[in-house]
Amino acid sequence: MTASPEPRTRGLRRFVQPPPAAQPATEPVPAPRAGEPEPPPPAVTEPPGSSGPAMLGMPAMPAMPPTPGTEKCELCATEVPAEHSHVADLETATLACACRACYLLFTQPAAGRGRYRAVPDRYLADPGRTLTVAQWDELEIPVGLAFFLKSSSADRITGFYPSPAGVTECILDLAAWERLTAEYPLLGAPEPDVEAALICRTDSGVGYFLVPIDACYELAGRMRLHWRGFDGGAEARASIDDFLATVRSRARAYRPEA
C-alpha cells in the first residue's frame, strides 16, 4: 500500500481558518441630479463557490457582519451556539455549520438533490471485539491513527490519515479490509459520506470507533494547528490525546441495530 504522491487537504475550513481576505473598496454612488429618479440599490450577490442560500436554490440574503465570538448557520445566517451540527457538501467535500432547522431539513434523503447530507452525531465502540496489533498491521498504514470512509459516488472505501500537511489518502488493501469488517462489524457500519471508522494504535493497544466525519476533520485541524517539528511536540500529542478521550467518552456500545 502506498500513499498518494501529494497530500490532499479536505474540508478543513471549519477548523483551520485562513486570514480574512481584504474587502474590495466600493465606489460612492453619485447623488441623482434634480428631476432624475434615484438609482436602484445594488443587487446582493454571493461569491463563486459560496455554500450560502443562493446555492441551495433559495433567495440570496445580504451578508450581515458577524458579531465577534459568534458563529452563523451557513445556510440561513441564523446565529448558532459553539456546539452545533454540520451539513456535508458531497460535491466539494466540505462542511457547513448548520442551525437545527437547516440540519433537520437535510436529514431527508431527497433533500438538496442528494448533494447535501446532515452529519449524524453518533459515536460507537465495540469493546467486546478487540482489534489486535497484527490485524492493524495488515492494513500497512504508516501512522498510528487513520480513518476510513466509504464514498457513495465512487462506491469504495478509502483510508485517510491526518498529517501536518493535511489529510493524506491511502490506497487500501481491500481484501484485508473485508476480512476485518467480517470479524469486526462496527468497521462496516458507518453511513457512506458522513460517518467514518476511526482506528488508533497506542501503547495500550488498538482502539476503533464509529465517528461522524466532522470529528475526523476536527482531528486533521488539530494536527495542522499544533504540530511542531518531526514528532509533533508535546502540544500536538496532548491535543490528540484530548480528542481521543472525548471520542471514548461519547461512544455508546455498538449493536447491529444501532
Side-chain angles (χ1 to χ4, degrees):
M1 178 191 65
T2 58
S4 300
E6 295 182 1
R8 301 182 184 180
T9 302
R10 298 180 174 223
L12 301 180
R13 61 190 173 86
R14 297 312 316 151
F15 305 101
V16 184
Q17 292 283 1
Q23 297 296 322
T26 56
E27 297 182 1
V29 179
R33 296 178 181 179
E36 292 184 354
E38 293 189 5
V44 176
T45 59
E46 296 192 14
S50 168
S51 60
M55 175 176 285
L56 303 181
M58 295 181 283
M61 300 175 64
M64 301 297 292
T67 304
T70 66
E71 192 146 20
K72 303 285 186 179
C73 172
E74 294 181 84
L75 306 176
C76 72
T78 300
E79 186 173 321
V80 294
E83 292 292 329
H84 54 264
S85 302
H86 294 96
V87 170
D89 182 336
L90 305 188
E91 288 189 8
T92 61
T94 56
L95 297 178
C97 297
C99 67
R100 191 63 182 169
C102 290
Y103 174 83
L104 292 175
L105 172 66
F106 292 107
T107 58
Q108 304 302 316
R113 298 181 181 178
R115 174 174 177 174
Y116 301 95
R117 292 275 308 280
V119 178
D121 60 359
R122 65 174 183 166
Y123 290 74
L124 300 176
D126 193 0
R129 296 181 176 90
T130 304
L131 189 64
T132 68
V133 172
Q135 288 169 317
W136 162 255
D137 289 342
E138 285 186 26
L139 296 176
E140 299 181 2
I141 304 293
V143 295
L145 192 59
F147 57 92
F148 304 86
L149 172 69
K150 182 174 183 179
S151 166
S152 57
S153 59
D155 192 27
R156 66 184 176 93
I157 290 284
T158 306
F160 301 89
Y161 59 87
S163 73
V167 179
T168 300
E169 180 176 335
C170 300
I171 299 174
L172 271 180
D173 181 339
L174 295 179
W177 181 256
E178 288 177 2
R179 289 194 298 271
L180 281 181
T181 55
E183 189 170 352
Y184 302 92
L186 175 62
L187 296 176
E191 291 187 24
D193 305 311
V194 291
E195 292 182 325
L198 174 70
I199 305 181
C200 54
R201 177 178 176 177
T202 64
D203 293 339
S204 58
V206 181
Y208 64 102
F209 307 90
L210 182 153
V211 299
I213 192 62
D214 52 8
C216 300
Y217 289 179
E218 178 186 351
L219 174 61
R222 284 176 180 246
M223 291 195 71
R224 294 196 68 186
L225 284 172
H226 301 300
W227 194 274
R228 299 292 182 273
F230 179 76
D231 64 351
E235 186 178 5
R237 291 192 295 272
S239 181
I240 293 171
D241 288 345
D242 176 68
F243 171 83
L244 292 175
T246 299
V247 170
R248 293 187 186 97
S249 68
R250 298 186 66 174
R252 297 181 291 109
Y254 168 70
R255 296 181 181 86
E257 69 278 5

